[in-house]
Amino acid sequence: MIAQIELTGVNKHYGNYHALKDIDLSIEKGSFTALVGPSGCGKSTLLRSLAGLESISTGTLKIAGDVMNKVPPRKRDVAMVFQSYALYPHMTVEENLTYSLRVRGMPKTEARKAAAEVARTTGLSHLLDRYPRELSGGQRQRVAMSRAIIRHPKAFLFDEPLSNLDAALRVHMRKEIRALHDRLGATSVYVTHDQIEAMTMADRVVVMRAGIIEQQGRPLDLYDKPANKFVAGFIGSPAMNFIPAQGGQDGRSVVLDLGQPQSVDVGYPVQPGRELTVGLRPEHITLAPPDKAMLKVPVAVVESTGAATYLTTATTPELAVVINGRGGTAAGETVGLDFEPAQLHLFDVKTERRI
Amino acid sequence: MSERTHNRVMLALAILLAGIYLFPLYWMYITALKSGSEMFATPPSFWPAAPRWNTFAEVWQSRQMGRFLWNSLVIAIGATTLIAVLGVGCAYVLARYRNVWVDIGLFLVLMLQVLPASLMVTPIFVGFSQLGVLDYPRLAVVVAIAAKSMPFFVILVRATFMAVPQELEEAALVDGNSRIGAFVNIVLPLARNGILVSAILIFMQAFGEFVYSKSMIQGIELQPASVGLNSFMGPNTNEWNNIMAFATIYVTPILAVFVLLQRRIVSGLTSGALK
């Protein structure tokens, strides 16, 4: 694997505030990496550090093998798509597209040819003479993308580029950006707070919290084997259920505490009496006849979208359950719930790490 | 009261207030056109019986107004240029950096705005005289006006710069421009309206400036029109029509510029001049 972007021991301080803490990250050439996390987790700071808009306090930042710690943005040869698109309002679409080329001294005719070419692939050909204020949100987004791809930078940096679009367009642009990435064979780093975007678009997902990388890996690995409770709760929608539990006396089961204790044989050794948090995804729970089911619980809320039914149980803590199709239950009824013991995720109560 | 009558009452009130406010201007214009005896008639006439248009030509000739206005223009252009060149950089820095020192700087800038010219003129006069700047009296006035009006300009232009999103500059940096390049290519064009409007306001202020010119320029051949108008008046003045003609010639160009540009000026002041 060739690392296109490499960060080693990167720290960023703003006065007393420690925004990035010992970040080690290697981004493979040609990969699509999503940085995801709640707001204030440092993902945008990390991206801006890659662009050179923030300088890192300590550590090493390499792009294509060259140390970039003190290199100004214009010499890093990266392109960035901003959340607000940051289109130059006093320039036409064409001037916006060619700006980076003209700044680098490309002759105007050549730059215009490049703009026409890019505009054709992104469907902007008929808008080249317009000003940004005359475009719709989706068109502006496209201009911002085109401006990034017109030169062939060492990396594309996306800072929540879809968050200003409506839901339908966002889903569409998700695919379009990914297709563009594949076509250009580019290296992309994509910041988002939306874990669905991260899961669907990226080859690698980096989950951050409070300036720390909590876990990085392939999307489904993060889903299947979250390294800690935070990642488990962050990845997946609706969010994973967390149930307080204890190691069972037989050494191979856990006792779930859902109001009344419920022992589940997990098939591998668990230290008896150990305090645990057990995670269980809503989509891994199935309905079963109450007398044969592992859990027998009353239902508090039933919400149906037609394709799926979302149940919330009247237990403490309450459980979310997703069932395909119609559930056939109503609020107040008692239902039986089943799940595969292998689908349980066990976390230590104190460290919140996966066991 | 219905909304309609309410609006009408408010409109009538506004017209009344505007009338009171603009009355002196009207009086200046008609007095300039009156003859000697009509000026002192009781009751006063609100429209000159026989407008005397050649008063203007006479005053222009006898008071050598061309020279006065030229001096006013030199001083106003000099001060506006100096303020614009220095103030734009200052305002940009104050707009883009947030820390304690910037806050202290802004406070001091505002403090400067509070000090009246008549208070500052003595120390400035003494200082300039020691430095020998008074040998170039119009330059001395230009520098003094620049010092006085800079805070006003900086505060207006700072607001304009703050309305230019920082992301645009960052995009220009990533696109391959230097900080200065991004400022010149992106920020300045977007802030142009606000800067222009502020500069016009400064120009109009400087064109009418009196205190510094009066105390620092001794030679009549270098004095601006404001001082010329003042020296026209004495304790026994009775040629009010000539004085008003002088004032009319002096004020009308500025007034015309303001009326022509008022839409831009108002929108520039309120919107930060950016869509």
Side-chain angles (χ1 to χ4, degrees), chain A residues 286-304:
Chain A
T286 51
L287 284 184
D291 44 328
K292 285 193 224 154
M294 298 170 94
L295 301 172
K296 218 170 93 177
V297 293
V299 175
V301 182
V302 179
E303 298 159 299
S304 185

Side-chain angles (χ1 to χ4, degrees), chain A residues 15-302:
Chain A
N16 288 328
Y17 181 63
H18 200 169
L20 297 174
K21 299 171 187 162
D22 289 320
I23 299 289
D24 291 315
L25 180 63
S26 180
I27 292 170
E28 197 181 331
K29 187 166 186 166
S31 72
F32 195 112
T33 302
L35 303 178
V36 65
S39 54
C41 71
K43 57 191 191 296
S44 282
T45 306
L46 186 55
L47 193 79
R48 292 169 57 82
S49 303
L50 295 179
L53 298 172
E54 305 280 350
S55 58
I56 56 175
S57 308
T58 58
T60 326
L61 190 169
K62 285 187 189 172
I63 296 175
D66 302 319
V67 176
M68 288 287 174
N69 285 23
K70 298 248 184 275
V71 177
R74 69 194 148 104
K75 293 191 178 148
R76 293 196 183 196
D77 195 18
V78 296
M80 189 155 170
V81 178
F82 290 83
Q83 179 171 8
S84 67
Y85 313 142
L87 303 180
Y88 311 125
H90 58 306
M91 297 185 192
T92 61
V93 169
E94 182 176 47
E95 286 166 337
N96 265 283
L97 295 185
T98 56
Y99 184 72
S100 65
L101 304 176
R102 288 181 287 135
V103 165
R104 286 180 166 75
M106 183 186 276
K108 211 172 169 186
T109 46
E110 235 174 286
R112 292 190 62 165
K113 223 192 291 173
E117 177 118 6
V118 169
R120 205 174 54 241
T121 62
T122 50
L124 290 171
S125 296
H126 60 297
L127 300 172
L128 283 176
D129 294 330
R130 300 264 189 100
Y131 283 93
R133 62 174 173 271
E134 301 164 340
L135 304 179
S136 70
Q139 291 169 332
R140 285 178 204 188
Q141 217 281 332
R142 244 171 246 261
V143 176
M145 300 275 305
S146 310
R147 191 171 65 176
I149 65 176
I150 193 163
R151 57 202 169 90
H152 301 281
K154 296 200 177 93
F156 290 109
L157 309 175
F158 298 93
D159 190 4
E160 309 214 13
L162 303 184
S163 54
N164 288 340
L165 301 180
D166 61 56
L169 197 53
R170 204 179 307 158
V171 172
H172 174 74
M173 286 308 290
R174 230 153 66 187
K175 281 182 246 162
E176 210 160 283
I177 291 178
R178 178 67 220 208
L180 202 63
H181 166 91
D182 291 337
R183 190 156 51 79
L184 297 171
T187 308
S188 302
V189 183
Y190 188 102
V191 161
T192 176
H193 62 267
D194 180 350
Q195 54 93 19
I196 301 223
E197 261 176 37
M199 295 291 284
T200 51
M201 295 172 76
D203 303 316
R204 277 185 88 73
V205 175
V206 177
V207 182
M208 294 183 69
R209 176 173 61 158
I212 290 171
I213 293 182
E214 293 280 1
Q215 190 177 4
Q216 48 177 308
R218 288 183 297 166
L220 292 183
D221 289 348
L222 263 57
Y223 179 87
D224 291 337
K225 285 200 163 43
N228 52 47
K229 193 181 154 195
F230 172 75
V231 176
F234 194 79
I235 301 288
S237 172
M240 185 184 273
N241 296 301
F242 292 111
I243 309 156
Q246 272 191 342
Q249 289 311 314
D250 60 359
R252 45 180 290 119
S253 66
V254 292
V255 183
L256 305 179
D257 178 13
L258 278 169
Q260 74 236 38
Q262 171 70 44
S263 183
V264 178
D265 192 332
V266 290
Y268 51 83
V270 180
Q271 189 188 344
R274 183 171 182 178
E275 296 287 331
L276 302 167
T277 302
V278 167
L280 179 57
R281 295 201 182 276
E283 57 272 33
H284 291 155
I285 305 176
T286 51
L287 284 184
D291 44 328
K292 285 193 224 154
M294 298 170 94
L295 301 172
K296 218 170 93 177
V297 293
V299 175
V301 182
V302 179

Side-chain angles (χ1 to χ4, degrees), chain B residues 162-217:
Chain B
M162 288 179 80
V164 177
Q166 198 155 0
E167 280 200 337
L168 293 180
E169 252 172 285
E170 292 175 347
L173 292 181
V174 177
D175 266 352
N177 220 328
S178 59
R179 288 219 62 167
I180 293 173
F183 176 71
V184 173
N185 280 345
I186 306 296
V187 182
L188 266 192
L190 292 174
R192 191 188 56 201
N193 268 8
I195 294 171
L196 266 181
V197 164
S198 309
I200 288 170
L201 291 178
I202 292 289
F203 180 88
M204 293 198 290
Q205 261 185 19
F207 196 71
E209 201 282 332
F210 174 69
V211 176
Y212 291 139
S213 308
K214 174 75 177 168
S215 30
M216 284 192 240
I217 304 179

Side-chain angles (χ1 to χ4, degrees), chain A residues 287-351:
Chain A
L287 284 184
D291 44 328
K292 285 193 224 154
M294 298 170 94
L295 301 172
K296 218 170 93 177
V297 293
V299 175
V301 182
V302 179
E303 298 159 299
S304 185
T305 62
T309 305
Y310 297 83
L311 305 183
T312 309
T313 63
T315 53
T316 341
E318 55 186 32
L319 295 180
V321 180
V322 180
I323 299 151
N324 277 330
R326 318 289 156 98
T329 56
E333 282 180 22
T334 296
V335 295
L337 300 179
D338 252 341
F339 52 87
E340 291 287 326
Q343 304 281 23
L344 292 181
H345 304 265
L346 273 50
F347 303 100
D348 187 89
V349 165
K350 286 222 180 60
T351 66

